[in-house]
């Protein structure tokens, strides 16, 4: 038979007392870590990329993920307003508010 989604909050206990990570495809802001593959919406389109930075941006409120895209539809190379947050090829970098990330795949 087909597997089914069991819903939020049903995590197995971790042997060291921490909860197990949510299944792939669920978003928990603490899962948005450098190296994670993510899916997010930008300009109405779903985009995929790899997180290269998490934290604050100068002049902006809230937490952001600096994401390296696999295509050249980005805005920069990891530099925003003269400050380099991460490095990637030109036009492959974007910054996205962490709460806009829809899915996280830790690899």
């Amino acid at each position: 038979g087909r597997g089914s989604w069991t819903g939020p909050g049903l995590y197995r206990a971790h042997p060291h007392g921490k909860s197990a990570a949510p299944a792939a495809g669920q978003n928990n802001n603490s899962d948005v870590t450098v190296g994670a593959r993510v899916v997010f919406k930008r300009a109405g389109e779903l985009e995929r990329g790899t997180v290269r930075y998490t934290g604050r941006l100068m002049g902006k409120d809230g937490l952001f993920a600096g994401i390296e895209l696999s295509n050249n539809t980005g805005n920069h190379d990891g530099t925003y307003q003269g400050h380099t947050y991460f490095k990637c090829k030109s036009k492959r970098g974007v910054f996205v508010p962490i709460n806009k990330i829809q899915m996280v795949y830790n690899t």
Side-chain angles (χ1 to χ4, degrees):
R2 294 181 181 181
S4 63
W5 184 67
T6 57
L10 301 177
Y11 306 128
R12 288 195 306 268
H14 190 275
H16 299 292
K18 296 178 182 175
S19 355
Q26 294 182 14
N27 178 17
N28 175 338
N29 288 348
S30 65
D31 291 340
V32 180
T33 56
V34 171
R37 301 267 310 141
V38 294
V39 175
F40 58 97
K41 196 171 266 192
R42 185 169 72 107
E45 298 290 322
L46 282 179
E47 299 245 25
R48 296 173 190 269
T50 303
V51 176
R52 299 295 183 209
Y53 168 84
T54 60
R56 300 198 176 276
L57 298 179
M58 273 195 299
K60 295 271 192 182
D61 291 331
L63 293 175
F64 286 80
I67 299 172
E68 180 178 0
L69 303 173
S70 55
N71 55 35
N72 292 331
T73 61
N75 300 329
H76 51 72
D77 63 358
T79 300
Y80 175 74
Q81 292 190 345
H83 184 84
T84 300
Y85 293 90
F86 65 96
K87 291 192 178 204
C88 67
K89 290 181 180 175
S90 178
K91 296 289 187 187
R92 291 208 175 182
V94 293
F95 287 105
V96 177
I98 281 186
N99 61 7
K100 297 282 187 196
I101 291 175
Q102 296 184 350
M103 291 188 228
V104 179
Y105 301 93
N106 291 311
T107 54

